[in-house]
Every structure is written in structure tokens, then in C-alpha cells.
Amino acid sequence: MNRRTYAGTVSALALLSWGAVAHAGGQPEAQAAEADATVSEVVVTGSRIASRGFTQPTPTTTVTAEDLEKASQPNVFQAIVQMPALQGSTGKTVFVNSTSSGMQGLSSFSLRGLGPIRTLTLLDGQRVTPANINGVSDVSQFPQLLIKQVDVVTGGASASYGSDAIGGVVNFVTDKTFEGFKARLEGGESKYRDNDTFVAQAAFGDAFLDDRLRVIGSVEYSREAGVLAGGFGEQQAGGRDWYETPAIQVRPLASTTDGRPQYRVIKGAQQIQYAQYGLITNGPLQGIAFGPGGAPYQFQYGSGGTPNGAGGVTGCFAPFCVGGDLSGGIGASPTLAARLKRKVAYGRVSYKWGDDDEIYLTTNFAQVNSLNQPNVGAERTGLTIQCENPFVPAAIRSACVSNNITSFQMGTSNGAFGPIDVNVKREQERFVLGATGSREVFGTSWSYDAYYAYGVNRISIDVDNITLTPRYNAAIDAIAGPNGTVICRDPIARAAGCVPLNIIGNVTQDPAALAYVMPKNGPRQRSKQNESVAAFNVTGEPFQSWAGPVAIAAGLEWREEKYRTIGDPYGDGATADNGYTDDYKADPLLRLAGNNWYAGNYHGGHGSYSVTEGYLEANVPVLQSQTLGEANINGAVRQTRYSTSGNVTTWKLGGVWKTPVQGLRLRAVTSRDIRAPNLGELFAPPVVTNATVLYRGTAVNVLQEIVGNSNLRPEIARNTEVGVVLAEPAWLPGFSFSADYFDIKVDGAINSLAAQDLVDLCVAGNQEICGAMLLTSTQPNTNFVRVQAFNVATMRTKGVDLEAIYRKNLEDWGLPGTLSIRALATHVMSFKTTSGVLGTIPVESAGVNLSNTPDWKATFSQTWALDRLSLTLYQRWISDGVYNNEYIECQTNCPVSTVQRRTIDNNHMEGATYVDLGGTYDVNDNVTAYFKVDNLFDEDPVAAPTTNVSPGVNPYLYDTIGRMYRAGVRLRF
């Protein structure tokens, strides 16, 4: 691997567990000198400066194309996301149990656990059209075979790149001078005979007209079958056996005066509100469930629990018992990995019209389809079934008479319904017209870069096999009709085509009834995201200081983002602009205001904003001495004006000292960074529901309007990093090491609060929030609370990044080949969030393994290479953690539990170590075969219990797929 090209430009060294990460600052001084002789100027993502010998203070890791090849992943996102500093990223295993989030199948990076919305992802230093209303890009839409390197900036970069770069920047750099042809074919499958993958990629490039005209392109197709829904109970997909229905059982706060913990971690959590085919949950018949043919039987609650006739179960704490009949649980059923299909075509045409000047046009067309199944069935609780319902078994009707009741309460997970399908399609079209080159101005050579980019993302969401709640409620309320028929009770429903549905027992379902409650056309959303960007940047060295040339970069940028989305009339509501159609016919049972679906009630909306900004960055050498070493100061300032929130200023100031000690460098940087509110936070479409709040001691019925807040201001962050780099000292050749301390604080973080929290803040004197409600009107249906996001939260994270590498030629020890050992780790010392809600305390999430910021996250690799063969052993490690730092662990003599400090019998959550194995063999100069086994020992994910029904796993940290086999071939000509 040739790292000389990036000499002196990036932070420390070369480290990722799955392959070398090219940290040019960590290469030998001799190599750096050789590189400086061949490379005049280098642009690095962490800075806009292009200058000879420039070393920036912001740590930046560069992953090369060779590193990505060693990772052998079907999607480059899955390779990069393994870096320890990337915490909380999404991907195909995250949001898979979600219907309405809009994040399903979206691959987006999150640095420092601050979320994808606070990490800026770029393509060739340019913003890419967002893939959803939250403003984040989908890396799956990027061209991948032509990636030359990926720069990961683990520090604030808003002064250089603008909004969203609070956690840092991930920049994909394409190979703009590629010539020849290369291709890749890969297949794979999990141990469980699912998640089969297929990848086919090809890229070509050539130069014409004496190398003035250059044409480059690539086409890609990949399919990952995913791991779709399992079954009921503990029946996981593919025969996996690690799901044991974990949960946290909760006792009432008032009962914790007995010295026992309020929370208890359990396995075999049995819901008491429903069974697979129906369970009576209240009254004298409570505890009777229904089986094959509707036959009643006594439900087994577990824990020795017996129903009390009032909805509770003695010996259990709602909503769980332990053990018993687990057949109706839906926790095991959500998709573990979404089905993902990618089609990407990329092209670049450039023409040199001078020795140093070039114009270019790039195009990118991408389509990414994903499928996830949030659950099988659809649990319903609190259903009222009339005893006269013809579907009620005769024995139960008789019991109704004996107990003098006419109805009973029931819950069911609707075992006959099958899985819900959420299909998401994202289609991107992006065009960039630009020019680069250099000009001599007043004796100084200035490099320039100007471009205009336009992109559109069209997002389609279609949900299948899901019920309309009003129709479901009407269909299960059946009565006897004429001539022995069964009909719906409601005459309005009957006139509108209602077909009775039998949900009592495991019975053959009437296809007409299923079609009525689950129509062919389910929830639907159509969205369009547009982004336009125009930018002009220059960089040069106009004068010298006493220690060397002073480099300056400056630029102007303009950006406009807008979106429009529309839902189906059943979910969004029927309006003049979104009325009923042949696909969604008028139905008197359905609410005109929408929200009729079991889930997936998508609402329409639109909004836009524009940004104008300018920046100036300078690098000033301040020391050039054989005895004291070399040092430079780097600073930048950016002024930004948002059409929605006005002006904001960002800046950074840092420096690097190359000490006289060989290989030793010190660096430090501090910055003021921002994240502007995204389109969703500003212009989310309104959703109105009924609610009750407590206002100055009085209960007030209100209309709760959930809506965006166009008055939001940018979040302001202060980011500080201090580090040391030791690059191959003479006393230990082949060894490099770096350590960086980081401290990021975000003030005015945007947070959505509940209606009651907003009322409490208003009463406490927050006048901005008081303007979003009316609570004193005497007129019916006029009091309201507008539930919006506000700049009320605070976040602060502190920690350390460590990197080390050692390379050794084994011939020195009389052994064949070379050995490379690498390690990269991030230690999160603290991650505190203050929500802005009155009466709450700061929440410390560092080391919470139910979240995404473990105490330690590290990757390691050991590579042995000989001639054409290379073998690498990888380890991915997550340290042990807790369920919640605010919990008090105790078994006896526990203090009284409180809302802020709850007691729990076990607050330990194990970490994990995953071992991977990979290898390559160069068949000849044109063909390379490779293989990769991820999770070699098929380590099961650690149980992740919550107080609700859940999949019981944390996909942000743990492998949910199991052992994966992949093999492929690469061609180069």
C-alpha cells in the first residue's frame, strides 16, 4: 500500500481492525520526506488548506481502497462503521422493528454517539442530497468501486464545512484519474442459511485527446436477503436459539418500601394482556385463552400467577409474569437485518482546457430498496367482545350467562395475520457541474474549485398486510344475521362492506374478512427531497512567515433544501389535495382526519430553507528550528446566514508541534460548531390528538398538536481535542502510537418534549414555550398544547481515542513473510444529556450497553502476508456495561425507589468479542480471490431487556446475524 501520497496530512497512524487505516502522520520520517519530494499540495478533509507539508490539528483517519477490499463487505458502509469512534450509526440491522420512522434500510454514520444528524457525510467534499426529512445521507446511494479513500474526521469541522459537523465528517473521495477496467463479484450466506448476498460491480476509465478528455464510470448491483421476521414466542428466524424473551419486570414505586428492588431482570417474560389467538383479560372469565378451533383452555401465566378478575395477576407484576405459555409473544419476530437491494450508476466526464484547468460533470443515479417486517401479527389489547358474538364458543356464552355478564375484555396477537411488510424505495438523481484549476495572481499561485450541484431523492414507503383500526373494530363486533349468517353489528359498517372477522382461536380465516380489515393498498408515503448547492473555494500561499509559507483558504457557499411529502388519505386524512381514490375509497367508518392504520399513519407536509455562508482559513508556521522542532497554527472562521434562524458564526483554532524528539508530535484544536435544525424539526406536518394535562393543579382537556417549530435555532457546540503522536521512533522501528482526548459540549440541543413537560416549563416561566399553548379558554375544544421541538437540551461527551500499529519483517526472526499488528480504541469517559424537562437529572449514558456509547469499543487485527497470500485475524471488542447508570443495584435492603433513581436486582450487561477471519490470494496480476468469515465463533448477541415487549437485542453494538461466510473475486485490467 502506498501511503506516501498523504504524507504529513492526516493525524496519527494506520488502524482499523479489519485492515490498515492510512494515517499518514504515523509513517516513517524517511517516507514523509520522499513523499514531500513528489507531492506539492494535498487537501485533507479536516481542513480546506492545500499546502506543502501542512499538518492539520484535527485528527483524521484515512481508509484506503485497499483497506476496503480487505474488509470484504457487500456495502462500504458496513466496513467503515466498525471504527470505534462511529457509535450510533444506522444500517440494515437498525430500525428494523419500526413501521413509521422512515429510517428503515438507511445507512448513515454517527460519530461520538451524537447521532447521524450531527455527523456530516460528504462525497468528494460536497454535500449529497438527503435521503429523508432528517437531512442525513444514505451511503448506500454512493458509488463504491471507485472510492479511492474515506476520510473520517473525528472532531468539529463546522468552520470548514458548515452545519452538522459537530461530531465530525466522513468524506468519500473518488478516484478521478482511474484508467482501465476493474470488477468485483461476491457471494455470501450466514450459518443459518439466510442473509444470502450477491455483489456485482464494474468500473472503467480512459483518457482521450492527449489526456485532456477523461471518462470514468461505474455500475453496481448488490442484494442482501436479510434476516426477516421470525415467529411467535421464542421462535426466531433461521432456527436461531438465543432469544429467551428478556425483559425488566417492574413493581409499583409505592411497594418498594420493603427493601426489595423495583426492577427485576427476567427471562421468559410472559405478557398478561394477550395470547396468540385470544385471552380474556378481565372479569370473572379472566385467564381463559382460545386454541385450535376456538376451544377454550386455561392460560398458563407463569410465576404461579392466577388472575384476580380485575385485570391483574397475583404473583406477577404487570405487564409480565415469568414462564408459562410464551406462544403469543411477538418479541422474537422483528426482522434482524433488512432485505437490501442496491442499483447505482456513476459517471464523470472531465476536460482539461488548460495546463492546470479542468471542467467536469458528474452524475449519480441510485436506487436502494429495503424490506423489513416489524412483527408478525398485530397485538391488540382491551378489546370488548360481546357474549352474543356468534364466534364466541358455546361454553363461553354459557359462562357469560352463569356470571351474569354480557361482554368480556380480550387481548390477542392476531396469530393468523402474518408479518407486516414495510417496503422503502429511495431513488437519487444527482448532477454536479464544476471546474478546478489554478491561476497566478500577484505572484501567487491560487488553486480554485467551483461547482454547482443539484440532487433529488424520491422516497416511497408502502406497507402491506396491516389493519385499518376502525374496520378491525367493526369486523370483530359480529352478531347473528338472517338465515344463519354472521354479520357486522354496525349497520353503517355493513352498508360499507364490513365482513365479520373471527379472532377467537386458531381458526380458518375468511379471506374476505382479511381483505376488509387489511386492504390491498396499505399505508403509503411519497416524499421528495431537493438540494441545490453552489460553492467557490480558493487556496494559496500569498506570503511567508519567519517559519515558512502562510497558506490561506477561502470560499463562499449557497445551499437550498426543500421537501414535500404526502401520505394516503386513510393515514394522512382526506383533504381537497389528498382525497379518496379508487385505491383508497371513501369509507364512513374511517376518520376524516386520518390516523386510521394500526401503524404507518404517514402525514403530508412541506418546507424549505436556504443558507448563505463564507469562510476563511489560515495556516501559519510559527516555528522552524533544528533544536526546537516545527510548529504551525491553524485557524478558521465561517459566517452563516439561515433563512429560518438568521446569522451564526463558527470558528476553530488549533496547532501542531513537531517536537525535536524523533517521531513525536503534539496537537490541539478547539472549535465552535453548529447543527442547524433540519426540515423535519422545522416543518413537520401537524398531527392532532386529544390529551389531558395538569395545569396549576387542574386537569385540562386539550388538543395536542404535534408539529414542527420554524423558530428553532441552531445547536451550538464547543469541541476540544488534545493529542500526542509517536510515529516510528528509532528505538522501536515499525511502531506508531497516538492518543487524543476529546470534549464536546452541545448547548441548545433540539429536543421534543411531551405535552405535560411543556406545560410544566411554561408554568416555570419559559415564555417561548408558553406561546405554544392555550390552557385557560372556557370555550369547548379550544384549549391546546402545540407539541414541538425546542432548543432546551444539553449534551456533553468526553473520552480518549487510542491507536497503535506495529509492523515487522519476520525474516529478521528467520520466519517467512511480514506481520502487521494494529489496534484502535475509543474510551467514552462521560456522555451526559440534560433533557430540559423540569425535575429530571442529567442522564449519564457512557458505559450503558443498552445505548450506543459503551465504556470501551475497540478493534484489533493481525495480518500475515507472504508473496501472493495474505491472512488476517480480526477482533471487535465491546466492554462490559450496565443497563442504566442511574439505577441502584441491590437485592436486599434496597433504598426506596424513585423516578430518578430506580432500584434493580442486576445492573450488569456483558460486552462482547467477535472474531473474524479473512484472506486474499493473487491468482495472477489481474485476478485476486478472497474470502471473509465474520463472527467466526457465531457469538450470540447479549440480551438487552427493556420494560416493554422488545426484540431483546441492541443492534447498535451487538451482532444479530451470526456467522457470515463470504467469498469473491476481483479483476483488474
Side-chain angles (χ1 to χ4, degrees):
M1 182 188 307
N2 180 7
R3 294 183 180 83
R4 294 181 300 170
T5 305
Y6 311 109
T9 63
V10 246
S11 62
L13 7 134
L15 305 170
L16 255 192
S17 69
W18 38 262
V21 172
H23 261 294
Q27 60 191 326
E29 297 297 328
Q31 287 187 7
E34 183 180 353
D36 287 343
T38 58
V39 178
S40 60
E41 291 184 349
V42 179
V43 178
V44 188
T45 298
S47 168
R48 296 280 193 170
I49 294 290
S51 177
R52 295 182 296 271
F54 168 52
T55 301
Q56 64 158 339
T58 306
T60 302
T61 298
T62 295
V63 184
T64 68
E66 183 179 340
D67 302 327
L68 297 175
E69 289 180 355
K70 288 183 178 180
S72 301
Q73 296 288 341
N75 189 333
V76 68
F77 171 84
Q78 296 166 30
I80 302 297
V81 78
Q82 295 178 10
M83 292 182 62
L86 285 161
Q87 299 167 338
S89 302
T90 64
K92 70 174 188 175
T93 62
V94 179
F95 289 107
V96 289
N97 61 331
S98 164
T99 303
S100 305
S101 69
M103 295 288 289
Q104 303 95 332
L106 195 153
S107 301
S108 57
F109 291 119
S110 167
L111 281 162
R112 306 294 188 207
L114 293 168
I117 58 176
R118 297 181 182 91
T119 298
L120 181 59
T121 302
L122 305 172
L123 180 61
D124 285 327
Q126 303 164 355
R127 290 178 183 263
V128 179
T129 312
N132 73 354
I133 194 174
N134 295 326
V136 298
S137 301
D138 186 358
V139 176
S140 294
Q141 294 181 324
F142 290 15
Q144 307 206 352
L145 194 58
L146 283 171
I147 292 174
K148 182 178 182 180
Q149 68 189 61
V150 182
D151 295 336
V152 181
V153 181
T154 53
S158 289
S160 296
Y161 290 96
S163 177
D164 306 335
I166 288 179
V169 175
V170 181
N171 182 25
F172 291 77
V173 182
T174 61
D175 187 348
K176 302 174 185 62
T177 60
F178 174 71
E179 292 187 18
F181 174 84
K182 60 180 177 179
R184 174 192 177 199
L185 290 174
E186 178 183 293
E189 187 178 65
S190 82
K191 167 193 171 181
Y192 301 94
R193 300 297 179 90
D194 53 22
N195 195 42
D196 50 291
T197 64
F198 174 74
V199 179
Q201 301 171 330
F204 58 90
D206 206 348
F208 309 92
L209 303 179
D210 296 327
D211 290 343
R212 291 188 176 276
L213 176 65
R214 190 175 296 275
V215 179
I216 299 171
S218 67
V219 290
E220 305 175 13
Y221 171 83
S222 66
R223 183 182 66 85
E224 301 174 63
V227 183
L228 299 181
F232 291 92
E234 296 183 347
Q235 186 182 13
Q236 265 195 306
R240 292 168 176 82
D241 59 4
W242 49 260
Y243 182 75
E244 298 180 304
T245 323
I248 295 177
Q249 195 176 47
V250 183
R251 295 199 299 151
L253 276 173
S255 68
T256 61
T257 57
D258 59 2
R260 293 187 295 127
Q262 181 192 11
Y263 284 2
R264 187 162 69 100
V265 180
I266 61 175
K267 295 180 181 179
Q270 168 61 58
Q271 283 280 345
I272 66 175
Q273 301 99 332
Y274 57 84
Q276 186 171 2
Y277 298 105
L279 171 67
I280 299 177
T281 58
N282 209 332
L285 305 184
Q286 182 185 356
I288 295 176
F290 302 99
Y297 69 93
Q298 191 61 45
F299 188 70
Q300 298 300 311
Y301 285 99
S303 302
T306 56
N308 62 13
V313 180
T314 60
C316 304
F317 297 101
F320 298 121
C321 299
V322 180
D325 183 353
L326 299 174
S327 64
I330 62 170
S333 64
T335 294
L336 294 178
R339 178 170 292 167
L340 201 65
K341 185 184 295 184
R342 298 177 57 252
K343 300 175 184 177
V344 181
Y346 172 83
R348 187 179 194 272
V349 178
S350 63
Y351 180 76
K352 275 193 171 184
W353 54 279
D355 292 339
D356 299 311
D357 300 289
E358 177 184 81
I359 59 173
Y360 65 89
L361 172 68
T362 67
T363 59
N364 193 70
F365 300 94
Q367 178 179 306
V368 180
N369 296 72
S370 69
L371 166 66
N372 75 291
Q373 297 170 328
N375 55 269
V376 296
E379 76 279 12
R380 301 271 190 169
T381 61
L383 301 173
T384 298
I385 303 298
Q386 300 297 323
C387 294
E388 65 175 344
N389 190 315
F391 296 131
V392 173
I396 300 301
R397 289 201 297 270
S398 178
C400 288
V401 174
S402 301
N403 288 278
N404 196 30
I405 60 174
T406 59
S407 65
F408 54 85
Q409 297 290 304
M410 195 182 90
T412 177
S413 48
N414 288 295
F417 281 5
I420 297 170
D421 292 337
V422 182
N423 301 276
V424 182
K425 179 169 66 174
R426 298 182 176 90
E427 297 177 289
Q428 182 193 89
E429 300 172 8
R430 182 172 180 265
F431 308 89
V432 181
L433 179 63
T436 62
S438 63
R439 280 287 182 270
E440 193 84 12
V441 180
F442 300 120
T444 298
S445 178
W446 292 89
S447 298
Y448 67 88
D449 169 26
Y451 70 90
Y452 171 77
Y454 173 78
V456 58
N457 242 321
R458 295 178 176 87
I459 305 101
S460 303
I461 304 178
D462 291 275
V463 183
D464 299 325
N465 209 39
I466 195 167
T467 58
L468 281 165
T469 298
R471 287 188 183 179
Y472 177 89
N473 292 337
I476 66 174
D477 187 14
I479 60 173
N483 302 319
T485 60
V486 180
I487 61 175
C488 300
R489 178 187 303 274
D490 186 345
I492 297 177
R494 291 201 302 269
C498 181
V499 181
L501 176 69
N502 184 5
I503 61 169
I504 300 175
N506 184 3
V507 296
T508 301
Q509 295 293 330
D510 181 355
L514 291 177
Y516 173 70
V517 299
M518 292 188 293
K520 175 183 177 182
N521 297 301
R524 182 177 70 188
Q525 184 186 61
R526 299 292 181 263
S527 301
K528 185 178 180 181
Q529 302 269 154
N530 294 83
E531 182 180 69
S532 299
V533 183
F536 177 74
N537 306 283
V538 296
T539 181
E541 298 174 352
F543 54 88
Q544 297 235 356
S545 73
W546 58 90
V550 175
I552 291 177
L556 297 172
E557 298 181 11
W558 170 86
R559 174 165 49 97
E560 180 185 61
E561 295 196 15
K562 57 184 177 180
Y563 93 101
R564 179 174 292 276
T565 184
I566 188 170
D568 65 274
Y570 292 173
D572 192 17
T575 65
D577 296 328
N578 187 25
Y580 295 119
T581 66
D582 289 341
D583 290 337
Y584 298 90
K585 298 180 183 296
D587 187 332
L589 256 64
L590 303 184
R591 294 181 291 265
L592 288 174
N595 297 325
N596 290 291
W597 297 105
Y598 170 76
N601 291 290
Y602 304 112
H603 293 272
H606 61 91
S608 66
Y609 68 82
S610 60
V611 188
T612 304
E613 47 195 340
Y615 73 91
L616 177 66
E617 181 178 1
N619 179 68
V620 182
V622 295
L623 181 63
Q624 181 77 36
S625 168
Q626 291 185 346
T627 57
L628 298 178
E630 303 175 8
N632 65 279
I633 293 177
N634 177 244
V637 62
R638 175 179 288 255
Q639 186 67 30
T640 305
R641 180 174 180 79
Y642 288 92
S643 60
T644 53
S645 56
N647 295 320
V648 63
T649 302
T650 55
W651 52 263
K652 74 169 180 177
L653 181 64
V656 177
W657 177 29
K658 180 182 176 183
T659 72
V661 179
Q662 185 194 30
L664 180 64
R665 294 184 183 182
L666 304 178
R667 62 184 175 210
V669 62
T670 186
S671 60
R672 184 179 196 254
D673 302 287
I674 63 167
R675 182 187 78 86
N678 57 52
L679 289 169
E681 292 163 332
L682 291 166
F683 307 112
V687 179
V688 180
T689 59
N690 295 316
T692 302
V693 296
L694 194 66
Y695 176 63
R696 301 188 186 277
T698 301
V700 179
N701 294 322
V702 299
L703 297 174
Q704 178 178 269
E705 183 184 13
I706 304 173
V707 68
N709 183 358
S710 59
N711 294 318
L712 287 171
R713 302 175 301 277
E715 300 173 344
I716 305 297
R718 183 65 182 271
N719 197 323
T720 300
E721 295 190 78
V722 179
V724 58
V725 179
L726 181 64
E728 301 208 30
W731 51 269
L732 188 56
F735 175 77
S736 295
F737 173 82
S738 76
D740 289 279
Y741 168 81
F742 62 86
D743 183 348
I744 305 172
K745 183 180 180 183
V746 184
D747 289 318
I750 297 170
N751 190 19
S752 296
L753 306 180
Q756 186 62 60
D757 295 329
L758 294 172
V759 171
D760 293 342
L761 286 170
C762 173
V763 171
N766 189 316
Q767 293 305 306
E768 179 186 5
I769 292 178
C770 286
M773 63 188 67
L774 175 63
L775 301 171
T776 57
S777 174
T778 58
Q779 299 298 317
N781 299 320
T782 55
N783 285 311
F784 70 91
V785 175
R786 190 171 296 123
V787 178
Q788 299 173 293
F790 288 92
N791 297 88
V792 292
T794 301
M795 308 167 69
R796 187 170 190 178
T797 181
K798 296 184 285 186
V800 177
D801 291 329
L802 301 173
E803 308 182 40
I805 186 169
Y806 179 67
R807 299 186 184 92
K808 180 67 176 177
N809 190 334
L810 296 180
E811 292 181 357
D812 297 341
W813 295 344
L815 299 172
T818 59
L819 177 67
S820 297
I821 301 174
R822 302 180 178 90
L824 185 149
T826 293
H827 171 42
V828 182
M829 301 162 58
S830 176
F831 195 120
K832 286 188 177 180
T833 303
T834 303
S835 68
V837 177
L838 292 176
T840 62
I841 61 175
V843 174
E844 175 60 78
S845 58
V848 175
N849 284 18
L850 279 178
S851 182
N852 53 46
T853 49
D855 188 16
W856 284 93
K857 181 180 177 183
T859 56
F860 309 89
S861 72
Q862 305 84 42
T863 299
W864 174 77
L866 176 66
D867 299 328
R868 295 179 179 272
L869 177 66
S870 172
L871 295 173
T872 304
L873 193 65
Y874 314 90
Q875 300 86 35
R876 296 171 279 140
W877 174 64
I878 300 161
S879 62
D880 290 352
V882 298
Y883 298 127
N884 191 307
N885 280 312
E886 278 60 61
Y887 290 167
I888 300 172
E889 182 176 329
C890 57
Q891 287 77 38
T892 59
N893 300 318
C894 296
V896 175
S897 190
T898 67
V899 173
Q900 296 176 344
R901 301 282 289 173
R902 300 185 184 274
T903 54
I904 190 170
D905 67 334
N906 175 19
N907 195 28
H908 176 76
M909 187 170 176
E910 293 183 357
T913 300
Y914 301 105
V915 178
D916 308 331
L917 176 65
T920 65
Y921 180 74
D922 293 334
V923 179
N924 53 45
D925 291 342
N926 304 114
V927 180
T928 298
Y930 65 91
F931 77 93
K932 183 75 181 299
V933 183
D934 289 334
N935 196 354
L936 181 66
F937 300 114
D938 194 35
E939 292 292 327
D940 296 336
V942 174
T946 68
T947 57
N948 298 305
V949 178
S950 75
V953 67
N954 180 8
Y956 287 104
L957 299 183
Y958 299 93
D959 186 327
T960 61
I961 297 174
R963 185 185 304 140
M964 273 294 302
Y965 305 96
R966 282 191 295 275
V969 61
R970 298 186 182 93
L971 308 176
R972 298 180 182 86
F973 297 96

